[in-house]
Structures are given as structure tokens and as C-alpha cells.
């Protein structure tokens, strides 16, 4: 498994505390970039700009990705474009919510 | 008017206390270990039951006073006290989680 795949799999362990669904199934993660020195950049969004769990989720991503041995540094970049909408959720997440 | 204000306060309390407790206890642990979700901090179904009891008791008290029924008044006041005690216990249990 490549490091990028390990990181993507690890992000399945980070849940949105309000919804109780992981951020990958919610479709919040837009990209995972890894440089030659194994520094990871996770580009993601949140369900709403006013999300009160902003810090908890981004800290959670940092904590979880940092726990992977090969990872050197982690940066979480929150973006608001493109805007998240429920269609980005996986079928599994939709089943859980609706 | 007062009834509406009290219901709003109770509703916000039911929402904000679990949020504050969760943020204080678990926000730094996300991604490090399994943490409860916000929904797991409070019993939502119990909340619905309590609000229905509050609503019934308030209307019952108003009707009891209107018809000067002492017995009915005691019954509906009892329901309101019981609902209040359960509400308070529920909030305290969240604080102790």
C-alpha cells in the first residue's frame, strides 16, 4: 500500500462529531498530496463555514495522519471552494443519514 | 411568552451542554482514539418525551386554573416537577460523562 493510500485509509477513522460519519464518506476531503520528504497536505472542506467543530476535525486529521510512521509533517488546508453539498457523500454515508 | 422563552432555554441547554462537555473532554482526542459522537452524549428520544411532558403539564395547569380544579392542578404540577427532575438529572449525567 502506498503512503497516499495509507493516509486515505487513515482518514476513514476521523469522524465528523456531529454526524458520526467519517470525513471520507462525507466527501469532505478534496485531496491528499505527499511530497518527496513524506510531508502530507490534506485539502478538505467542512459541511458549513460556520461549523463549530472546525478545529476538532482539522486537529483530528492532523493527529490521525501523524500517527502513520512514514509521515513527516502534516498540514490541513481548509477550503470553501468548491462548496460541499450532500451529493459528495458516499452511498454508505447517505444510507446512514437518510 | 414566558412559556416560549423557557422552552427555548431548555432546548438550547439540551443542545449546548453536550456540545461544551464534548469540546472540553474530547476535541483534542479526535484522530488519536475513538471518541463518542455528539449524539451519544445525550438521549434525544428522552428529550422529545420530556418536552411533550412539559407541554402537557403547562396546558394542564392553565386549564386546571381556569376550571379551578385543585386535584387536576396538583396532577399537572406533579408531572411538571417530575419532568424537571428528569431533565436536570439528564443534564448532570452529561456533565459527569
Amino acid at each position: 500500500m502506498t503512503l497516499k493510500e495509507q493516509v486515505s485509509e487513515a482518514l476513514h477513522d476521523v469522524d465528523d462529531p456531529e454526524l458520526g460519519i467519517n470525513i471520507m464518506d462525507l466527501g469532505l476531503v478534496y485531496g491528499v498530496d505527499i511530497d518527496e520528504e513524506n510531508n502530507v497536505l490534506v485539502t478538505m472542506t467542512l459541511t458549513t463555514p460556520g461549523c463549530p467543530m472546525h478545529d476538532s476535525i482539522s486537529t483530528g486529521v492532523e493527529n490521525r495522519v501523524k500517527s502513520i510512521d512514514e509521515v513527516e509533517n502534516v498540514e490541513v488546508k481548509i477550503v470553501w471552494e468548491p462548496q460541499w453539498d450532500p451529493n459528495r457523500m458516499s452511498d454508505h454515508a447517505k444510507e446512514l443519514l437518510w | 411568552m414566558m412559556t416560549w422563552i423557557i422552552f427555548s432555554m431548555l432546548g438550547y441547554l439540551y443542545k449546548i451542554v453536550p456540545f461544551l462537555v464534548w469540546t472540553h473532554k474530547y476535541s483534542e482526542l479526535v484522530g488519536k482514539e475513538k471518541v463518542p459522537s455528539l449524539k451519544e452524549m445525550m438521549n434525544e428520544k428522552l428529550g422529545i418525551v420530556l418536552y411533550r411532558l412539559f407541554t402537557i403539564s403547562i396546558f394542564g395547569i392553565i386549564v386546571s386554573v381556569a376550571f379551578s380544579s385543585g386535584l387536576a392542578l396538583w396532577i399537572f404540577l406533579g408531572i411538571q416537577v417530575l419532568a424537571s427532575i428528569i431533565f436536570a438529572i439528564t443534564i448532570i449525567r452529561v456533565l459527569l460523562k
Side-chain angles (χ1 to χ4, degrees):
Chain A
M1 194 184 275
T2 66
L3 183 57
K4 189 169 183 175
E5 286 168 343
Q6 284 184 64
V7 171
S8 297
E9 194 171 299
L11 291 175
H12 280 84
D13 294 337
V14 182
D15 290 346
D16 179 314
E18 277 195 282
L19 300 174
I21 299 172
N22 72 76
I23 59 174
M24 293 296 279
D25 277 333
L26 281 174
L28 295 176
V29 177
Y30 290 162
V32 175
D33 297 299
I34 303 173
D35 66 15
E36 306 82 30
E37 288 154 20
N38 287 349
N39 297 313
V40 178
L41 170 65
V42 178
T43 306
M44 63 178 289
T45 188
L46 298 168
T47 53
T48 166
C51 178
M53 298 295 182
H54 185 295
D55 288 337
S56 303
I57 295 173
S58 57
T59 302
V61 169
E62 274 183 45
N63 289 339
R64 184 62 186 93
V65 175
K66 264 186 195 164
S67 71
I68 300 172
D69 288 334
E70 294 104 310
V71 168
E72 198 61 38
N73 289 308
V74 182
E75 183 186 342
V76 179
K77 186 178 170 186
I78 305 286
V79 298
W80 302 109
E81 292 293 332
Q83 202 173 11
W84 180 85
D85 67 79
N87 291 324
R88 291 184 177 271
M89 293 194 297
S90 67
D91 292 336
H92 175 64
K94 287 175 186 171
E95 275 175 33
L96 289 172
L97 274 181
W98 299 334
Chain B
M1 174 78 170
M2 281 303 297
T3 305
W4 177 80
I5 290 171
I6 289 166
F7 267 93
S8 296
M9 286 168 60
L10 292 175
Y12 276 116
L13 201 62
Y14 211 78
K15 175 76 178 175
I16 202 71
V17 169
F19 172 78
L20 290 174
V21 171
W22 187 95
T23 302
H24 174 69
K25 283 189 170 179
Y26 299 115
S27 62
E28 296 291 319
L29 299 177
V30 177
K32 287 181 181 173
E33 54 188 80
K34 191 79 179 153
V35 299
S37 65
L38 271 174
K39 280 185 186 176
E40 289 167 338
M41 300 291 287
M42 281 291 252
N43 186 334
E44 286 187 8
K45 288 180 183 170
L46 178 61
I48 293 168
V49 170
L50 288 175
Y51 290 120
R52 284 180 180 163
L53 285 176
F54 277 125
T55 306
I56 290 167
S57 65
I58 285 170
F59 280 110
I61 288 166
I62 292 168
V63 170
S64 303
V65 169
F67 286 95
S68 302
S69 171
L71 177 62
L73 182 62
W74 276 108
I75 290 169
F76 287 110
L77 279 172
I79 292 171
Q80 193 169 71
V81 167
L82 180 67
S84 300
I85 291 170
I86 296 171
F87 185 89
I89 291 171
T90 306
I91 297 290
I92 290 167
R93 285 180 70 182
V94 172
L95 293 172
L96 296 175
K97 271 197 173 174

